[in-house]
Amino acid sequence: MAKKLMLLAGLLLAQPVAAQPAGTPPAKDAYTWVTLGTMGGPMPRPGRNEPANLLVRAGEAHLIDTGDGAMTAMADAGADYPNLRTVWISHIHFDHLGGLYAVLGLRLQTRTVRPLTIYGPPGMKEIVAGLIAAMRPSARSGFGIPGEVPIDPATNINVVELDDGAVVKLDAFTVRVATNSHYSFVPGSPEEHTYRSLSYRFDLPGRSIIYTGDTGPSEKVTQLAKGADMLVTEMIDLDNTLAQMDRRVQHISPEEKTHMAEHLTRHHLSTQAIGQMAASAGVGRVVVTHIAGGAAQGGEPAYREQIGRLFKGPVVIAKDMERF
């Protein structure tokens, strides 16, 4: 009886939420890119979740970055959690992986044992191992039913750390990897030799999508994007971001603020830099997400116009739950 109750609870939790399409349904065998979260940075903001994206088609789902709220957004997008095959983390800043614990926790609670591979930069194995260790007390307690057999939260979870030039071939598509310029550690330091921020190119049946993740201007990313059908890129409105920081960040010295402004300028993409990259790479369209600091009030037409000075193709300033 206890086992039946436990399985019933798991099945109820695993039921998919009805899809909420935002546009024309894709062909049955085509992949759709969904911008689950389009906010950049760790500050909560109404209307925009932290960075997360979904690559989905019938019976198959892949998460690209997992900011806080990614699992709820995935359900809102109509994706069935047991169909999750892979997770791709661009870099190990918290706004890009804060929701990974929820991904693993739902897997535990629904007793999902289908293989899940988590791809990301160096450091991901340590992070996932730590999250699994944090799950073990919950795994042992289970649903609180006498006679329940605990499940190992590490079951069928594989972590693959990637670096510049890596190529991952899956059944239906290929992913190519480039390191980008989101980090600029002291030359020769241990950090320079350890940490990476990655950009991904998804070569899908019929089209290609490049996801910059967080990066500043980068020739490697521009080369990775050559001829891609869609460039999904981060963006920073520097003035708006610094204004947000002044209002919300406490206990920051003038020196720290100067360093932060330097980081935001060098390690993120302005509208001009996006236009240059898109034009140089010859991409088909630009989708702007990860808007650092959030979009300024009424700023979206200006962003499109600024990018359009250099890139003459279509430009979309994405909102959460848009489909491409």
Side-chain angles (χ1 to χ4, degrees), residues 121-168:
M124 283 308 303
K125 288 184 178 180
E126 182 180 358
I127 288 169
V128 173
L131 293 176
I132 289 173
M135 292 167 63
R136 294 199 183 280
S138 294
R140 289 192 295 269
S141 67
F143 291 104
I145 301 171
E148 181 182 350
V149 179
I151 187 173
D152 182 356
T155 301
N156 283 340
I157 292 176
N158 185 37
V159 183
V160 178
E161 293 185 344
L162 303 171
D163 209 333
D164 188 52
V167 177
V168 179

Side-chain angles (χ1 to χ4, degrees), residues 95-297:
D95 56 324
H96 289 255
L97 49 72
L100 186 57
Y101 193 45
V103 174
L104 300 177
L106 184 57
R107 179 183 172 88
L108 173 67
Q109 291 183 83
T110 58
R111 292 185 165 254
T112 300
V113 295
R114 174 176 282 172
L116 175 68
T117 303
I118 301 171
Y119 296 93
M124 283 308 303
K125 288 184 178 180
E126 182 180 358
I127 288 169
V128 173
L131 293 176
I132 289 173
M135 292 167 63
R136 294 199 183 280
S138 294
R140 289 192 295 269
S141 67
F143 291 104
I145 301 171
E148 181 182 350
V149 179
I151 187 173
D152 182 356
T155 301
N156 283 340
I157 292 176
N158 185 37
V159 183
V160 178
E161 293 185 344
L162 303 171
D163 209 333
D164 188 52
V167 177
V168 179
K169 294 186 177 182
L170 303 180
D171 289 341
F173 60 87
T174 298
V175 183
R176 291 176 169 80
V177 183
T179 53
N180 60 48
S181 59
H182 189 51
Y183 296 148
S184 57
F185 296 111
V186 175
S189 67
E191 292 82 6
E192 184 191 41
H193 294 295
T194 302
Y195 298 112
R196 303 285 185 272
S197 179
L198 305 178
S199 299
Y200 295 117
R201 178 181 176 126
F202 296 84
D203 287 317
L204 308 165
R207 67 171 177 158
S208 54
I209 300 172
I210 178 165
Y211 175 67
T212 66
D214 283 13
T215 183
S218 169
E219 183 58 29
K220 283 186 177 181
V221 179
T222 301
Q223 290 301 315
L224 187 69
K226 286 286 186 181
D229 295 285
M230 188 166 78
L231 171 65
V232 181
T233 177
E234 69 123 76
M235 190 203 82
I236 187 168
D237 181 329
L238 184 60
D239 291 340
N240 190 49
T241 301
L242 292 176
Q244 293 281 336
M245 189 168 65
D246 282 340
R247 288 195 297 270
R248 298 189 177 196
V249 179
Q250 301 177 359
H251 310 300
I252 182 169
S253 69
E255 182 181 12
E256 288 172 324
K257 186 175 179 181
T258 298
H259 288 316
M260 181 58 68
E262 180 183 3
H263 159 69
L264 294 172
T265 302
R266 296 176 59 194
H267 298 166
H268 290 282
L269 292 171
S270 66
T271 52
Q272 179 182 4
I274 292 170
Q276 289 173 336
M277 177 183 291
S280 296
V283 300
R285 72 188 304 191
V286 168
V287 173
V288 176
T289 184
H290 189 283
I291 303 170
Q297 187 70 29

